[in-house]
Amino acid sequence: MQQATVAVLFGGRSSEHEISSATAGGVLGAIDRERYNVIPVGITRDGVFVLEKDDPARFRLDADKLPQVVDNGSRIIWPMPGGPRELRVQRANGSVESLGEVDVVLPILHGLHGEDGTVQGFLDILEIPYAGGGVLDSAICMDKHFMKIALEADGIPTAPGITVRRGRWNAEPGVVRGEVAELSYPVFVKPARAGSSVGVSKAHDESELAEAMAVAYAEDDKVLIERGIVGREIEVAVLEGRGSEPTRAS
């Protein structure tokens, strides 16, 4: 069987850099190397694309020291649109070598500049296939405010909530507090465009609201406040079918 070449893209500029790196460690350890040739591409906190070592242990999740991508001097050279999907690397000494043609990219990125449609648009421009949602899907799903609008428009109930921009909170905190009280406590306060529970707090009463807002605004200038819902948490994976095959849900 001819091996397909998979570029695993991870790290990134968001506050979830370490979580992305740890996720990539799990992916690198799970890929069947008899079926796939793997190219680990890390993105540093400064947004530099580097060639990483194909070593899952280097990115294993360790509570004492979370993994991250560091600048090792290499630079990934992406292909031009319309031509061969050949990925190249410039080494720290200036030499350039081919890594082969990429069949698909796995964007194992969390947060902004990864889950929000930006890297998906980048790969679309380069005409390189990738796993996961496209630009619009990713952008809507990343923004909790617009995701709620999309779900409610399709008749899917969501937790009662309000979206508060930083400027409004600074200008009329009393009005916002009143609107939150109408939701009834406890409430969850979360940045609209962050993931992995980053910046999320539970405010049990009004005395905890200001601190929760400050934590959320440290991640985003748009904050979603939702009434706490008691119930089971159920995660569902959805995989689009190939060609005429139906979509599957777990």
Side-chain angles (χ1 to χ4, degrees):
M1 181 184 297
Q2 185 176 357
Q3 287 184 318
T5 297
V6 179
V8 179
L9 191 59
F10 60 97
R13 296 167 54 194
S14 81
S15 59
E16 299 168 74
H17 177 100
E18 291 93 344
I19 300 301
S20 170
S21 299
T23 303
V27 170
L28 291 174
I31 291 180
D32 185 349
R33 302 312 172 97
E34 292 186 0
R35 298 179 59 190
Y36 301 103
N37 174 45
V38 179
I39 304 175
V41 178
I43 305 177
T44 69
R45 290 186 178 280
D46 295 326
V48 177
F49 291 80
V50 301
L51 180 65
E52 275 288 357
K53 290 184 179 180
D54 188 3
D55 180 9
R58 166 163 156 55
F59 297 103
R60 68 176 180 271
L61 185 59
D62 187 338
D64 295 326
K65 186 178 180 181
L66 292 174
Q68 59 180 312
V69 177
V70 297
D71 191 343
N72 56 24
S74 66
R75 294 293 183 267
I76 291 294
I77 303 173
W78 293 94
M80 295 293 291
R85 296 196 293 263
E86 180 189 18
L87 206 61
R88 295 182 296 157
V89 59
Q90 179 176 307
R91 301 288 185 179
N93 62 9
S95 63
V96 176
E97 64 184 79
S98 173
L99 300 173
E101 289 198 27
V102 175
D103 293 294
V104 65
V105 171
L106 294 184
I108 314 298
L109 294 160
H110 292 246
L112 296 177
H113 312 298
E115 287 183 274
D116 58 353
T118 50
V119 77
Q120 288 77 13
F122 170 69
L123 294 171
D124 279 344
I125 290 172
L126 298 182
E127 299 178 353
I128 299 177
Y130 54 90
V135 174
L136 181 60
D137 300 337
S138 300
I140 291 176
C141 290
M142 185 66 196
D143 192 309
K144 300 177 182 68
H145 168 77
F146 287 107
M147 187 72 249
K148 283 174 70 72
I149 292 175
L151 291 172
E152 290 169 356
D154 212 25
I156 301 174
T158 68
I162 59 172
T163 300
V164 183
R165 293 275 187 177
R166 187 195 303 269
R168 183 169 181 243
W169 171 248
N170 291 337
E172 47 184 31
V175 176
V176 174
R177 288 178 185 275
E179 293 175 359
V180 175
E182 291 180 5
L183 293 175
S184 77
Y185 286 92
V187 295
F188 284 93
V189 181
K190 57 191 76 173
R193 295 162 292 193
S196 300
S197 298
V198 173
V200 177
S201 303
K202 183 178 183 180
H204 296 83
D205 54 44
E206 186 176 336
S207 67
E208 297 178 349
L209 183 61
E211 176 61 24
M213 297 292 277
V215 170
Y217 282 131
E219 297 293 328
D220 194 0
D221 63 1
K222 185 167 67 172
V223 165
L224 187 66
I225 307 170
E226 292 181 307
R227 180 192 301 166
I229 300 294
V230 177
R232 288 194 300 156
E233 178 177 327
I234 302 174
E235 297 185 8
V236 179
V238 180
L239 183 64
E240 183 180 8
R242 292 182 177 179
S244 61
E245 294 179 358
T247 296
R248 290 180 289 163
S250 63

